[in-house]
Amino acid sequence: MRRALVIACAVAMSGCALDVALMERGGPGTGQGHVPYTMAKSGEITIHLGDDEYAGRWVLSQGGSYSLASMGGAVPAGGVSAVGTGVNFDAAGNGNILARTATGKGLRCVFNYSGFSRTGMGVCQDDGGRLYDMQIH
């Protein structure tokens, strides 16, 4: 039973994807990216920004965690019996994205991310100096 609960919690937390939305500050540029939701601390990302496709990696440095636990017990005639389960998840952290187009244009992003709400925000800058506000949801 305990193992089934842990597996169910892990599947529920890992079954969705995260979307990244970008909007240029002071300009018309918009972009989007898509990352399969994972409990890993890094992975690959592709961001479509205007006519360009940036491919690279994201890294998350998490600094906290939260735990879910349940316990139960009984006092049968012959002694005491207790059962407990627990799951620990990283809660929040900072990260960055480094990506390039096939022609060598660069995009750099920094962000804050909450593993509890699975949301985040940050800012990106391309090689031309344009800034983009970023949302992760």
Side-chain angles (χ1 to χ4, degrees), residues 50-104:
D51 294 331
D52 292 317
E53 180 178 283
Y54 293 84
R57 295 196 56 81
W58 60 270
V59 174
L60 182 62
S61 174
Q62 293 178 309
S65 64
Y66 65 95
S67 300
L68 304 174
S70 68
M71 296 183 70
V75 182
V80 176
S81 175
V83 176
T85 60
V87 180
N88 188 55
F89 297 99
D90 289 322
N94 301 310
N96 75 354
I97 299 170
L98 299 176
R100 290 207 173 272
T101 66
T103 60

